[in-house]
Amino acid sequence: NATYPDWLTSGESALKKHLDAVADAHGRLRAVAEKGFTYRHVPPALVNQPLDKLVAVGVYKENADGTVFKTVKGKINLPDAWSRNFIYDQGSGYRMFNQFVASNRIAVVKLLDAFNRDLQAGDLLVPLICARSLLEQISHCNETLAFVREQPEPRDRAPAWEVVGNVHEWLGKKTYGTRMDWMAFLSAAPGEIPKKKSVAYQREVNRIDRTAETILNAVDHLDKKVAGTRVIYEMLCEFAHPNVGSFFVAGVSCRMLPRDTTDVVWIEKHLGLEPPIEFLRSFGVIIEKILKNLSQCLVHYEGLLHESNALSDKLLRMTQTIMRHAIAHRKELFNAYDICPCGSTKKIKFCCGK
């Protein structure tokens, strides 16, 4: 039920059409996001400690990309607490997928909140910057779900373990990608802004490389689903960056002045905080194309979210294949009424421990 000011929609029926499409998608997405999302995970330290021990004694080895593979067969003796945490962590790929989808949806809804709020307040600069971020979030989701979609669904434990491990690594990079060492930043002296090099992210030994990747590859991937997205993204960068877009969008009015005594012709333009009527008059076609692409991307995004339910089920089935074997071989670690490690939220007795 979004309403937009007359300066934005009067005489521009196409703009109103695309704005309504964006508002409708916003309402549907917000209805789901308002429910929130709760998840659990094993503290990384409780998994990393036994992993480092196993690598140290040669049971596992690290690949160049940070992935760790088992290199010996047979039973591996670990303290029960370590084993239990290790097994529960095997369900983290499934849980992280749902966490990724939920956090991505929340980010999209918050950006749409700001997009609509500022449009209705008479601004275009902030909504256009939000539109750029929206394309990035949708691209990020599109690329991640494409990776999960392409994975096979083996029925046997060993290949299922490999696939779930690959998905876990991918999601670890996509969910926790960064260029900053957050803990180093937190540990800086109070009131001190640390040096750039001291807080630059460095991959740790035996850990996934979480270096944030450029978003442009993901935008190009989305462009194959929604034609024109890359060009629209580049145009939106003109407003997000201190380029000419941020100058144009400040245009409120424009008029031709009468010739002065020197016979010079002047054009007078007013820049201000008022609605950018002159910008819309001059570049309304561009705004129409941006809104059309955004509404199309949101339609595609809602389709992705619908598909994510099936992909989540796919990951759960593979995780359960792994957990049934683990529970059967280490029954002494579990109580029948414990929460199942697969992530289904059911009790072991009624899930992978049947």
Side-chain angles (χ1 to χ4, degrees):
N1 296 321
T3 57
Y4 299 99
D6 291 341
W7 67 267
L8 184 60
T9 58
S10 60
E12 297 287 350
S13 58
L15 278 181
K16 180 69 163 58
K17 173 185 173 182
H18 301 317
L19 283 169
D20 286 343
V22 171
D24 289 345
H26 182 198
R28 291 189 295 269
L29 292 168
R30 171 165 270 285
V32 177
E34 283 178 342
K35 299 174 184 177
F37 179 78
T38 302
Y39 71 100
R40 296 178 178 181
H41 68 91
V42 178
L46 297 182
V47 178
N48 294 337
Q49 188 179 17
L51 177 61
D52 291 340
K53 176 69 174 178
L54 294 174
V55 171
V57 299
V59 175
Y60 280 73
K61 70 176 181 179
E62 182 189 17
N63 281 352
D65 62 357
T67 56
V68 179
F69 286 91
K70 186 177 177 182
T71 59
V72 299
K73 296 182 178 180
K75 186 174 182 179
I76 302 171
N77 292 315
L78 287 173
D80 286 353
W82 281 11
S83 296
R84 193 177 295 109
N85 284 312
F86 219 57
I87 291 172
Y88 268 90
D89 189 62
Q90 297 306 303
S92 60
Y94 164 71
R95 291 190 292 269
M96 194 182 296
F97 177 78
N98 293 321
Q99 170 194 338
F100 170 85
V101 172
S103 62
N104 185 267
R105 180 193 285 114
I106 289 169
V108 167
V109 169
K110 288 186 174 182
L111 287 167
L112 285 170
D113 286 348
F115 176 90
N116 279 302
R117 181 175 58 246
D118 280 73
L119 272 183
Q120 293 173 34
D123 180 39
L124 266 179
L125 178 60
V126 171
L128 290 171
I129 294 173
C130 288
R132 175 180 181 264
S133 295
L134 280 164
L135 293 189
E136 291 177 341
Q137 291 290 344
I138 295 171
S139 297
H140 195 48
C141 182
N142 178 71
E143 184 182 44
T144 299
L145 265 63
F147 177 84
V148 178
R149 183 189 307 123
E150 293 164 0
Q151 301 305 304
E153 186 180 348
R155 302 298 181 181
D156 296 329
R157 180 190 64 85
W161 187 84
E162 183 176 353
V163 172
V164 171
N166 290 338
V167 171
H168 180 238
E169 291 163 20
W170 177 272
L171 290 169
K173 295 176 182 179
K174 296 302 177 181
T175 304
Y176 297 104
T178 183
R179 296 188 180 181
M180 301 290 292
D181 185 334
W182 286 55
M183 298 310 296
F185 207 113
L186 284 173
S187 63
E192 174 189 337
I193 297 179
K195 300 294 184 182
K196 178 182 176 181
K197 289 184 177 180
S198 69
V199 294
Y201 170 74
Q202 299 290 333
R203 185 179 71 83
E204 301 174 71
V205 176
N206 304 335
R207 307 289 183 266
I208 296 171
D209 184 357
R210 297 186 291 107
T211 303
E213 300 173 348
T214 175
I215 194 64
L216 293 180
N217 291 335
V219 173
D220 286 338
H221 195 161
L222 181 61
D223 185 76
K224 295 176 182 178
K225 299 294 183 180
V226 184
T229 297
R230 178 60 190 264
V231 174
I232 293 298
Y233 179 79
E234 295 292 347
M235 176 56 72
L236 289 170
C237 288
E238 292 292 292
F239 302 96
H241 298 160
N243 293 354
V244 69
S246 58
F247 162 67
F248 283 153
V249 79
V252 174
S253 64
C254 175
R255 64 170 182 154
M256 182 79 71
L257 297 179
R259 293 177 182 272
D260 62 13
T261 56
T262 61
D263 205 32
V264 173
V265 176
W266 292 93
I267 295 177
E268 181 181 82
K269 295 185 176 181
H270 176 66
L271 310 179
L273 297 177
E274 302 94 329
I277 296 173
E278 170 57 27
F279 170 77
L280 194 64
R281 185 188 67 80
S282 300
F283 300 104
V285 172
I286 292 177
I287 300 303
E288 179 186 331
K289 293 181 187 296
I290 288 173
L291 291 174
K292 180 180 179 180
N293 177 263
L294 179 59
S295 64
Q296 291 173 335
C297 286
L298 286 169
V299 169
H300 177 68
Y301 181 65
E302 289 187 278
L304 291 174
L305 295 180
H306 180 73
E307 183 192 10
S308 71
N309 296 322
L311 294 177
S312 176
D313 291 342
K314 171 183 172 180
L315 288 174
L316 178 59
R317 288 191 296 270
M318 287 190 285
T319 303
Q320 289 173 330
T321 297
I322 299 167
M323 292 306 169
R324 281 192 288 269
H325 180 275
I327 292 172
H329 285 74
R330 297 302 304 273
K331 290 181 180 179
E332 73 279 6
L333 295 177
F334 304 99
N335 182 289
Y337 294 96
D338 289 340
I339 295 295
C340 191
C342 71
S344 69
T345 72
K346 297 178 181 179
K347 306 293 185 182
I348 289 176
K349 180 179 180 178
F350 304 109
C351 194
C352 296
K354 288 183 179 179

